[in-house]
Amino acid sequence: MITLGIETSCDDTSVAVVKDGVDILSNIVSSQVDVHKRFGGIVPEIAARKHYEAIIPILKQALESANIDIVDIDQIAATAGPGLLGPLLVGLSTAKALAISLNKTFIPVNHLEGHLQAAFLASRIEPQYPYVGLIVSGGHSTLVWAKGLRVYEILGKTVDDAPGELYDKVARFLNLGFPGGPIIQKIGTNGDPTRYKMPKIMVGKGFDFSFSGLKTYVIRLVESEKDKISLPDLCASLQEAVKNNIIEKLKLALEFTKVQRLIVAGGVAANMVLRKGLEDLANNYGCELLIPPPSLCTDNAAMIASCGYFTAPLVHKEMLKVNASANWPIGSAYNM
Ligand code: KG4
Ligand code: ZN
């Protein structure tokens, strides 16, 4: 069974071909980072135009690299939300047009569910339940109790910025470039994570996260220390604080759900400091830990194709009526 996946929810145009839900035949990602760099963040209108220019060439590239003819595709999965509306519409309408013209099944996929699926895809296994799942990226910070296919209890979310957004905003403030996460990781590699003691946030306030306080903390610190500030120590300390805030909430979730399997996915899950912290947490709690490799943490269409493959039994022809949804909570009904 060959699934074509299309992902355009943010600033990456991606098309993938996945066999039987777990074999990646191709996974082409075309980043718009150079276009958005000079704005220090993603400009939704520009992102949509760039997706529109890129989608057909990337589709051709994905088919070519998988050595598959378009008529041999069995089904087409595309991200329907959450994400930026204009960008989402480009991928979604391309997928629907292909499904109608080739008479194939169309499968709308939730972007967050796709991120979590990347962990199973990386291990080449079908989804296993239950698990505690955390999606940490530039736009999301969502903690779920996954109970079955498309069945999620949302435990917590960020009340302000997502952790990737924090990294991107701090990098912009420090004129380091975009996206901020990988740059801050690189600069912090040899820094002292204990140099600047950053606050623990939202302690005792349930499962919700907050990251904008850390941004304010960094800005105040840099303004007061001026030239004395050590950038490597600052970047190391910030990653340490983000890791600690995330680990606290995960401990709470593992204790509350008594679940023995943990998945962390999304762009920020590529962070090496966080990954090390998660390994220690999983060892302490004796739970299974699944984190996709960094290449499958950031946005890609293979995770969407794989998620589409496993959710296909739940879809029907009416799915062509599903609309793009900027805010589509994981596990909730299709927007139609
Ligand atoms: O999942 P993703 O590609 O897009 C969204 O759905 O948001 O995540 C992108 C985010 C950006 O904010 C970027 O700064 C962050 O993930 N990121 C990282 C790393 N790689 C990407 N943050 C920390 N460390 C990294 N290595
Ligand atoms: Zn994402």
Side-chain angles (χ1 to χ4, degrees), residues 6 8 78-80 87-97 106 108 322-324:
I6 299 183
T8 60
T79 305
L88 281 170
L89 282 168
V90 177
L92 200 62
S93 24
T94 305
K96 285 183 184 177
F106 164 68
V322 170
N323 285 319

Side-chain angles (χ1 to χ4, degrees), residues 1-4 16-20 23-26 59-75 102 104:
M1 177 66 94
I2 303 285
T3 311
L4 183 79
V17 179
V18 173
K19 190 175 167 219
D20 298 334
D23 279 329
I24 303 175
L25 302 186
S26 68
L59 168 66
K60 285 183 179 158
Q61 215 180 315
L63 292 169
E64 244 172 63
S65 143
N67 206 11
I68 288 274
D69 195 285
I70 194 145
V71 295
D72 296 326
I73 296 288
D74 296 302
Q75 50 188 9
L102 299 167
K104 306 290 180 190

Side-chain angles (χ1 to χ4, degrees), residues 7 9-12 42 111-112 115 135-140 163-168 178-185 239 265-272 297-300 303:
E7 157 63 40
S9 68
C10 194
D11 64 334
D12 292 307
I42 295 146
H111 183 74
L112 302 182
H115 269 302
I135 305 108
V136 270
S137 70
H140 312 281
E165 192 177 358
L166 160 73
Y167 284 136
D168 295 341
F178 176 81
I183 301 170
I184 287 173
Q185 172 173 297
Q239 289 177 89
V268 176
N271 186 267
M272 291 303 162
C297 281
T298 44
D299 289 350
N300 68 88
M303 68 186 195

